[in-house]
Amino acid sequence: MSSSPTNKTDGFQIHQTRILPDFLQSVNLKYVKLGYHYLVSHLLTLCLVPLMTMIIVQASQLNPNDIHQLWLQLQYNLVSVVIFSTIVVFGSTVYITTRPRSIYLVDYSCYRPPSHLQVQFHRFMEHSKLTGDFDESSLEFQRKILERSGLGEETYVPEAMHFIPPRPSMAKAREEAEQVMFGALDNLFANTNVKAKDIGILVVNCSLFNPTPSLSAMIVNKYKLRGNVKSFNLGGMGCSAGVIAIDLAKDMLQLHRNTYAVVVSTENITQNWYFGNKKSMLIPNCLFRVGGAAVLLSNKTSDKQRAKYKLLHVVRTHCGADDKAFRCVYQEQDDVGKTGVSLSKDLMAIAGGALKTNITTLGPLVLPISEQLLFFSTLVAKKLFNAKMKPYIPDFKLAFDHFCIHAGGRAVIDELEKNLQLLPVHVEASRMTLHRFGNTSSSSIWYELAYTEAKGRIRKRNRVWQIAFGSGFKCNSAVWEALRNVKPSAHSPWEDCIHKYPVQIIA
């Protein structure tokens, strides 16, 4: 029989056929899992319903005399009633005063550089050749990396790199930092109507550029933040430092009541371009691009109504005790004294190990009990009966609705898509962010979230998983829950181009 026409939805093709499915062949484990997941997840409810029904039936059969006798018994046991009530009140008070405060993400803003900073591939290669610093082998290596990187033709490099020869300097690096941080913050404050004086906590992370005064001090000076602001400047922590900054802000918000925290995540390229010929140190030139994000967090209950998300979990994994992991992303000088960041050949294997540790910790916090029982039962079966039996891989699609995988490179996204058994739509935001903005380091997960919002996909109670990798070596996760159907904020980085995406990435 002939097939029906192909429908296209957001760039993905869905084939419909008139052929009646073979039900025996189409009984798939995933459908069994859905039913099993529903049963186990609602097991407590299913048990409570009969119990509550019995209590209501028994209560409805009480007559006035029975109620009077019950009251008399309570009077005769007044001491017990008072003690019980005291325990309940005391316990409730302790619980309310010691429970963690809810942390709300009011809004965030991603910086979109001006169009004159865009760099096309042919221009990138032309400038690399004209600098005179790269030999033919290095130029060919960079060309191949660009072609396979997943980056598009509209990513941005700092102004200093547009000159021939390039003009990296401290002044230009400060200028890049100011443009990115202040650009994101100006938009954030305009969108939220929060005054700079209301900010009680400031956390800034930038791995490779740490001037004196610090980047956080630059923000305090620009916006005239109050004198008792708790400011922190995180350096050298790599592409996963954005989640670390969120975790630090969360901890500070647990200590300081009724306040706002601003987290600024960025990276600085101007003084960190590599002008040598060591292959492992040339890759960052091809991947890293200008970008940054500013995030407004609050512990005020009143902000729940206007906030976009609630922070549920932060899980951090550090593998720095292992020497290979420690050196797999390493800033150093090459044989001729030129400084750059070297990427080890073991990077993907080390990232895989860090990811395994991170999701092992994260799993019990987010996975439905059905997935945890399946994992545990297969693990026991493997130990007791069949050592060659493959362990069960939990289905994280049951825990999360959206995935923001750090756009560190095409290989990183490919591996997580494969190992977590994700669908193309789950990694679409990561691939499109890499294509449009390149690797913006710690801020990439915010460009990805902005993409998902611009597509209108985030609904109330959806869960978002942000996961990032960084030097050290680290793998960090943040989990958010949408408090409403989220729409993109004004001046979203995607507002001028979302209609063009998704695009086909050439293999």
Side-chain angles (χ1 to χ4, degrees):
M1 296 176 67
S2 61
S3 297
S4 65
T6 300
N7 293 333
K8 293 185 178 180
T9 304
D10 272 349
F12 296 97
Q13 294 184 340
I14 302 174
H15 297 280
Q16 295 178 334
T17 177
R18 296 195 187 104
I19 300 175
L20 191 67
D22 183 345
F23 292 104
L24 292 178
Q25 297 298 325
S26 63
V27 175
N28 196 306
L29 177 61
K30 67 179 182 181
Y31 301 117
V32 177
K33 282 173 54 183
L34 285 174
Y36 170 68
H37 160 60
Y38 181 86
L39 174 64
V40 176
S41 298
H42 294 81
L43 186 61
L44 182 60
T45 304
L46 294 174
C47 293
L48 285 176
V49 168
L51 180 62
M52 292 300 296
T53 302
M54 291 176 60
I55 293 174
I56 293 172
V57 170
Q58 289 295 325
S60 65
Q61 294 177 351
L62 293 176
N63 55 45
N65 185 53
D66 294 331
I67 297 174
H68 179 68
Q69 291 298 322
L70 180 61
W71 172 249
L72 291 176
Q73 291 180 15
L74 289 176
Q75 286 181 319
Y76 292 138
N77 294 277
L78 183 60
V79 175
S80 300
V81 172
V82 170
I83 293 174
F84 177 76
S85 301
T86 303
I87 293 174
V88 170
V89 172
F90 178 76
S92 301
T93 303
V94 171
Y95 171 75
I96 292 172
T97 56
T98 60
R99 66 175 180 173
R101 295 184 180 88
S102 296
I103 307 301
Y104 303 109
L105 192 162
V106 180
D107 205 350
Y108 65 97
S109 175
C110 298
Y111 175 69
R112 186 175 66 211
S115 58
H116 71 269
L117 296 183
Q118 289 182 354
V119 55
Q120 296 179 329
F121 288 176
H122 75 274
R123 190 177 178 187
F124 180 98
M125 293 306 304
E126 180 183 357
H127 277 228
S128 295
K129 185 175 183 180
L130 291 175
T131 60
D133 293 300
F134 306 107
D135 58 31
E136 288 299 323
S137 175
S138 295
L139 290 170
E140 179 62 18
F141 178 77
Q142 290 181 79
R143 184 187 65 80
K144 289 181 178 179
I145 292 294
L146 281 174
E147 291 175 350
R148 302 169 184 173
S149 65
L151 272 69
E153 301 274 359
E154 298 180 341
T155 59
Y156 306 90
V157 297
E159 187 174 354
M161 298 298 107
H162 285 268
F163 293 99
I164 299 176
R167 302 176 184 175
S169 65
M170 175 64 78
K172 285 293 184 183
R174 284 183 181 275
E175 185 178 320
E176 178 191 347
E178 290 174 355
Q179 288 175 349
V180 174
M181 295 192 304
F182 298 165
L185 284 168
D186 286 347
N187 190 47
L188 179 68
F189 289 144
N191 288 343
T192 58
N193 293 318
V194 170
K195 298 178 181 178
K197 292 291 185 181
D198 295 331
I199 305 302
I201 300 161
L202 172 65
V203 184
V204 181
N205 70 270
C206 181
S207 190
L208 294 173
F209 182 57
N210 293 284
T212 300
S214 66
L215 298 178
S216 59
M218 290 167 60
I219 293 174
V220 172
N221 177 259
K222 164 70 175 178
Y223 295 98
K224 310 304 178 189
L225 301 187
R226 65 198 198 202
N228 65 344
V229 64
K230 306 295 186 295
S231 65
F232 303 87
N233 201 97
L234 307 181
M237 304 193 79
C239 298
S240 66
V243 178
I244 297 173
I246 292 293
D247 191 36
L248 175 57
K250 178 203 72 174
D251 290 343
M252 294 301 296
L253 286 170
Q254 294 297 333
L255 296 174
H256 302 277
R257 292 178 176 273
N258 202 39
T259 191
Y260 289 110
V262 166
V263 172
V264 179
S265 297
T266 186
E267 192 51 83
N268 196 281
I269 298 173
T270 298
Q271 285 191 305
N272 295 289
W273 203 267
Y274 175 61
F275 293 99
N277 292 291
K278 187 175 180 180
K279 300 292 193 300
S280 63
M281 300 171 77
L282 283 168
I283 297 175
N285 286 9
C286 302
L287 297 179
F288 282 85
R289 296 293 185 263
V290 174
V295 184
L296 180 65
L297 301 175
S298 173
N299 58 13
K300 301 179 180 181
T301 306
S302 59
D303 280 322
K304 182 178 181 180
Q305 299 303 317
R306 66 166 180 157
K308 287 185 172 183
Y309 305 95
K310 177 182 177 181
L311 181 61
L312 298 182
H313 308 288
V314 176
V315 174
R316 295 167 53 182
T317 300
H318 203 308
C319 304
D322 179 81
D323 291 340
K324 282 188 176 181
F326 175 71
R327 294 187 64 91
C328 70
V329 180
Y330 202 80
Q331 187 179 25
E332 59 184 351
Q333 291 181 321
D334 63 12
D335 296 336
V336 296
K338 294 185 177 181
T339 303
V341 177
S342 176
L343 303 182
S344 167
K345 293 180 179 179
D346 300 322
L347 177 59
M348 291 308 300
I350 292 167
L355 172 66
K356 180 180 178 181
T357 303
N358 189 267
I359 64 176
T360 301
T361 306
L362 180 66
L365 300 175
V366 297
L367 287 169
I369 189 66
S370 57
E371 285 297 290
Q372 297 185 49
L373 290 176
L374 280 171
F375 175 77
F376 178 75
S377 60
T378 55
L379 185 65
V380 171
K382 177 181 172 64
K383 293 290 185 182
L384 296 179
F385 305 110
N386 186 1
K388 295 182 179 180
M389 178 181 175
K390 291 183 178 180
Y392 175 72
I393 300 175
D395 187 356
F396 279 89
K397 297 188 294 295
L398 291 174
F400 304 112
D401 303 281
H402 308 285
F403 298 79
C404 296
I405 300 166
H406 165 52
R410 190 171 181 175
V412 174
I413 301 171
D414 288 345
E415 285 302 308
L416 263 72
E417 179 183 14
K418 176 183 176 183
N419 285 291
L420 296 178
Q421 300 177 354
L422 304 179
L423 301 174
V425 69
H426 294 134
V427 295
E428 181 185 322
S430 300
R431 293 194 190 282
M432 296 307 107
T433 295
L434 183 64
H435 182 273
R436 177 62 183 84
F437 295 99
N439 181 351
T440 60
S441 189
S442 57
S443 64
S444 70
I445 54 178
W446 298 107
Y447 286 88
E448 293 162 18
L449 186 57
Y451 177 91
T452 310
E453 290 181 3
K455 283 292 183 181
R457 295 174 180 170
I458 297 186
R459 319 305 295 173
K460 187 175 182 179
R461 295 190 180 88
N462 278 182
R463 287 191 174 190
V464 179
W465 182 16
Q466 292 179 320
I467 182 168
F469 302 89
S471 58
F473 188 83
K474 299 180 284 291
C475 176
N476 299 320
S477 294
V479 180
W480 306 87
E481 181 180 54
L483 297 175
R484 53 188 167 89
N485 297 342
V486 180
K487 296 180 180 179
S489 301
H491 306 296
S492 162
W494 297 94
E495 69 178 5
D496 67 330
C497 60
I498 193 63
H499 62 280
K500 299 189 299 185
Y501 287 91
V503 298
Q504 183 67 36
I505 305 297
I506 301 175

